[in-house]
C-alpha cells in the first residue's frame, strides 16, 4: 500500500502538531498549513488523499479553501473541523463535498477512526477476502 497523505489545515499550531503526531503514527505522510494559501500550495504539489480543514481560519475561511481544494481535485476527501456550531456553514461545507465535520474539542480517537475509515475503505476489498 502506498503511503496515504493527510493535510492538516488549522491556524492553531497545537492542533496541527497533535494531529500530525496522531496520523504520522498511523503510517500516513502528513503535511500542515496554518492558512489557505499554503494549504492550496500543498494540495497542488502533494495531492493529499484527505484534508482535515478548520472552518475558521483568518484570511481565507474553511469554506473558501474547501471550494478551491475541490476545484483542484474533486477526489480529495475533506473532513471539516469547527469550534462553532454553525449549522448553515456545516451544511454548505457538505454541499461542497465535505464528508463530515468534527466540533472542537473533538475526540481524537473518533477523528482517527473516521480518517482511517475514509482512507482505508478504498482498499477494504482485500480485507474481506474469504479463505477456504
Amino acid at each position: 500500500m502506498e503511503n496515504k497523505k493527510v493535510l492538516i489545515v488549522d491556524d492553531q499550531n497545537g492542533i496541527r502538531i497533535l494531529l500530525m503526531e496522531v496520523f504520522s503514527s498511523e503510517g500516513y505522510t502528513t503535511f500542515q498549513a496554518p492558512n489557505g494559501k499554503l494549504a492550496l500550495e500543498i494540495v497542488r504539489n502533494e495531492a493529499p488523499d484527505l484534508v482535515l480543514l478548520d472552518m475558521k481560519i483568518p484570511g481565507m475561511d474553511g469554506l473558501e479553501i474547501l471550494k478551491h481544494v475541490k476545484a483542484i481535485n474533486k477526489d480529495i476527501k475533506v473532513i471539516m473541523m469547527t469550534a462553532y456550531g454553525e449549522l448553515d456553514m456545516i451544511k454548505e461545507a457538505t454541499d461542497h463535498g465535505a464528508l463530515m465535520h468534527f466540533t472542537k474539542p473533538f475526540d481524537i480517537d473518533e477523528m482517527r477512526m473516521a480518517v482511517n475509515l475514509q482512507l482505508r475503505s478504498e482498499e477494504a476489498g482485500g480485507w474481506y477476502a474469504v479463505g477456504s
Side-chain angles (χ1 to χ4, degrees):
M1 166 183 114
E2 74 177 67
N3 247 9
K4 297 283 188 180
K5 299 177 186 175
V6 176
L7 168 60
I8 296 136
V9 186
D10 198 306
D11 58 323
Q12 294 177 21
N13 188 50
I15 289 177
R16 291 196 315 272
I17 300 293
L18 170 68
L19 292 173
M20 283 189 67
E21 285 177 7
V22 167
F23 294 113
S24 293
S25 73
E26 289 287 310
Y28 299 119
T29 302
T30 56
F31 301 91
Q32 64 165 323
N35 59 54
K37 186 176 183 295
L38 184 56
L40 295 175
E41 209 172 285
I42 293 168
V43 167
R44 284 188 200 97
N45 296 332
E46 300 295 339
D49 298 284
L50 186 139
V51 178
L52 291 170
L53 178 56
D54 189 25
M55 285 263 202
K56 289 287 187 184
I57 295 179
M60 196 185 304
D61 74 10
L63 280 174
E64 198 176 334
I65 297 167
L66 170 65
K67 291 172 192 173
H68 286 293
V69 166
K70 289 296 188 175
I72 294 166
N73 181 348
K74 66 177 176 37
D75 295 328
I76 294 175
K77 297 176 178 194
V78 180
I79 295 176
M80 304 300 289
M81 301 179 289
T82 180
Y84 311 90
E86 296 127 341
L87 292 175
D88 55 334
M89 274 185 85
I90 291 164
K91 182 185 177 330
E92 191 175 344
T94 306
D95 291 345
H96 286 286
L99 297 169
M100 61 180 70
H101 75 279
F102 282 87
T103 305
K104 295 177 183 176
F106 45 78
D107 181 313
I108 197 67
D109 288 326
E110 283 180 19
M111 172 82 74
R112 183 171 53 223
M113 284 191 299
V115 169
N116 285 336
L117 185 70
Q118 292 300 328
L119 292 180
R120 296 186 177 154
S121 62
E122 294 158 15
E123 68 239 10
W127 291 3
Y128 302 110
V130 178
S132 54

